[in-house]
Amino acid sequence: MARLFGTDGVRGLAGRDLTASLTLDLSIAAARVLTRAEGDRRPLAVVGRDPRASGEFLEAAVVAGLASTGVDVVKVGVLPTPAVAYLTGALNADFGVMLSASHNAAPDNGIKFFAQGGQKLADALEEEIEGMMGVPSTPAVGEEVGRVTESHDGAELYTRHVLNSLPHGLEGLKVVVDCANGASSTVAPEALRRAGAEVIAIGDAPDGHNINQGCGSTSLAALQEAVRLHGADAGIAHDGDADRCLAVDADGDVVDGDQILAILATEAKEAGRLVEDTLVVTVMSNLGLKLAMRREGIDVVETAVGDRYVLEEMKRGGFGLGGEQSGHVILLDHATTGDGLLTGLHLLAAMAHHKQGLAELSKVMTRLPQVLINVPDVDKDRAADSEELAAAVREAEAELGDTGRVLIRPSGTEPKVRVMVEAPAQEQATAVAERLAGVVRSALG
């Protein structure tokens, strides 16, 4: 049986893969695993969602499942995923539930659980929840059933929290924020304004169906156009649940997650706040980031792809900053998970501190041309044992030397192998990647 949980919760097409009955069963199982008896205290869960239309019926299923097991539920409404994580800790809840499919299109939805303190679930807990699915249980009855309340303070509590993390205000900055017609549509513009910035908001009119549709961090053209049109100093883009942040500079040029990490890492080191002068990234981060950090005296620790693996390494080593090229940035001093609004605020604070634009700050690193080719319909399980492929990789690495990099990575969910090549020139990166892709097809096809 395939594992129900993916790298970031349970996700699928709402109504077909993610049904009301599955959501109900999953919520009951989660309640049985994540609640721990503490005297006479009733268990408590925080439930939030993004504005997808399907979130309405899925939220009802989650709430019904939790209350039927005797869990009191606080519904916080439409809020970013990191806000739900924060509120789980701030309200001393046993666990939190977020309904969102993040950057996916509107028909999809998903369920993410947070343990006490707003922490992401360990694999062992997810497996325990899966194992509890369908196991008969005695429902709560009478006075034992959970009570359901709505909280309208969540957005304010979260906004104060992220604003209190800033070393200074954003006065003098003109910023465009693209909310992806998602969960940050209200809180992101409000927080930026209260931080002192002049704010133009786009992608801030969710209707349940337009989330991530031609907007947000997966589609930056609208933000680039708006920044140039309004003569803004910078643009910030979130995804549907606002756990990501990408940016564009005053000219509309993209500033990706690697560049954001480089800026934040050097800023933190300069202020003496970068724990052990170390940054945590994934193997997919651009080689240019690693070369820049070496020059700045910052160590780089690599993990597998996925912000959960970045977070695990940060906790293991006690590090405070890490993230992914996609814009998942974790500031562990202020958040338990990737937080797009927090990231955007701190990036803009670096601009205000240095009185420099993003284009200038981004010069701390030079992105090497990176080519990624997905080779489908191959036996990905043989990739590690193919001598033909290993020989081709050695030849490519010898050609690139210290100025480039090769990464061959089987997909975690599909029958394909990903070929990634970085080189000083785009033409060389493309040529080497296509050559290796050809070897993958012949050796593993």
Side-chain angles (χ1 to χ4, degrees):
M1 177 180 172
R3 194 170 187 268
L4 184 62
F5 283 87
T7 56
D8 198 14
V10 178
R11 196 176 297 185
L13 183 61
R16 186 191 69 186
D17 306 319
L18 195 60
T19 62
S21 59
L22 173 65
T23 302
L24 181 73
D25 292 343
L26 186 60
S27 301
I28 292 171
R32 295 172 68 186
V33 171
L34 299 177
T35 56
R36 299 289 184 257
E38 296 181 6
D40 295 331
R41 176 183 177 276
R42 291 168 63 92
L44 176 68
V46 173
V47 177
R49 62 182 180 89
D50 72 22
R52 294 165 205 267
S54 61
E56 297 165 2
F57 83 81
L58 292 173
E59 178 189 59
V62 167
V63 171
L66 298 183
S68 74
T69 67
V71 175
D72 288 342
V73 178
V74 177
K75 298 198 301 179
V76 295
V78 174
L79 282 177
T81 289
V84 173
Y86 168 72
L87 291 169
T88 299
L91 299 179
N92 195 30
D94 291 75
F95 62 99
V97 186
M98 178 67 186
L99 291 157
S100 175
S102 191
H103 58 281
N104 286 28
D108 289 345
N109 216 321
I111 306 176
K112 304 177 186 182
F113 293 100
F114 293 101
Q116 280 188 329
Q119 303 292 329
K120 284 201 170 188
L121 299 191
D123 288 347
L125 277 177
E126 291 182 343
E127 290 167 4
E128 193 176 346
I129 291 170
E130 284 197 36
M132 199 65 72
M133 295 273 290
V135 176
S137 62
T138 303
V141 296
E143 294 183 357
E144 296 176 348
V145 300
R147 303 302 301 271
V148 182
T149 58
E150 293 187 12
S151 171
H152 303 288
D153 300 328
E156 177 61 21
L157 291 171
Y158 170 66
T159 300
R160 287 183 194 169
H161 166 67
V162 294
L163 290 177
N164 286 340
S165 75
L166 285 178
H168 46 74
L170 308 182
E171 288 79 9
L173 291 181
K174 186 176 184 179
V175 180
V176 180
V177 58
D178 186 342
C179 305
N181 290 317
S184 69
S185 294
T186 299
V187 295
E190 172 69 10
L192 289 165
R193 289 189 183 103
R194 284 166 59 174
E198 180 185 347
V199 180
I200 298 100
I202 64 173
D204 62 336
D207 62 10
H209 302 285
N210 60 356
I211 190 169
N212 299 316
Q213 191 176 85
C215 57
S217 62
T218 55
S219 184
L220 293 171
L223 179 62
Q224 292 170 302
E225 181 181 353
V227 166
R228 290 189 288 257
L229 176 66
H230 293 282
D233 297 296
I236 297 295
H238 301 306
D239 60 338
D241 70 336
D243 64 354
R244 293 190 192 193
C245 172
L246 293 180
V248 302
D249 64 23
D251 295 322
D253 293 327
V254 175
V255 178
D256 69 12
D258 284 341
Q259 292 169 295
I260 291 172
L261 285 166
I263 293 168
L264 294 182
T266 52
E267 180 81 355
K269 183 174 186 290
E270 179 183 304
R273 291 184 282 101
L274 188 63
V275 179
E276 295 188 31
D277 290 340
T278 297
L279 173 67
V280 182
V281 301
T282 77
V283 293
M284 290 298 288
S285 285
N286 194 278
L287 178 60
L289 171 61
K290 296 160 195 173
L291 296 175
M293 295 299 93
R294 184 188 305 166
R295 186 186 67 246
E296 297 293 328
I298 296 172
D299 293 330
V300 173
V301 175
E302 289 186 343
T303 75
V305 175
D307 64 320
R308 68 181 300 161
Y309 302 114
V310 173
L311 181 57
E312 286 173 5
E313 181 60 29
M314 291 175 69
K315 289 180 178 177
R316 188 198 65 77
F319 306 123
L321 179 63
E324 295 186 287
Q325 191 180 75
S326 61
H328 282 122
V329 175
I330 304 169
L331 296 156
L332 208 50
D333 287 344
H334 309 295
T336 58
T337 187
D339 189 324
L341 177 54
L342 186 71
T343 300
L345 285 166
H346 280 258
L347 179 64
L348 294 168
M351 290 177 60
H353 173 222
H354 292 284
K355 295 182 171 53
Q356 291 181 330
L358 274 183
E360 187 66 25
L361 291 179
S362 297
K363 289 179 181 177
V364 67
M365 70 164 280
T366 301
R367 282 186 295 188
L368 293 184
Q370 188 180 78
V371 174
L372 176 65
I373 299 177
N374 291 314
V375 185
D377 302 321
V378 293
D379 186 354
K380 64 180 182 180
D381 296 328
R382 291 197 292 118
D385 300 322
S386 171
E387 180 52 37
E388 180 183 353
L389 181 56
V393 169
R394 288 194 296 270
E395 180 182 344
E397 290 176 336
E399 175 185 336
L400 295 170
D402 293 335
T403 62
R405 187 167 66 112
V406 172
L407 180 65
I408 308 293
R409 187 173 70 88
S411 167
T413 57
E414 301 171 272
K416 64 175 61 172
V417 170
R418 307 188 197 283
V419 177
M420 191 273 284
V421 175
E422 291 169 336
Q426 184 70 46
E427 296 79 7
Q428 184 182 26
T430 300
V432 173
E434 289 178 346
R435 188 170 75 231
L436 287 173
V439 175
V440 169
R441 292 186 190 97
S442 63
L444 307 180

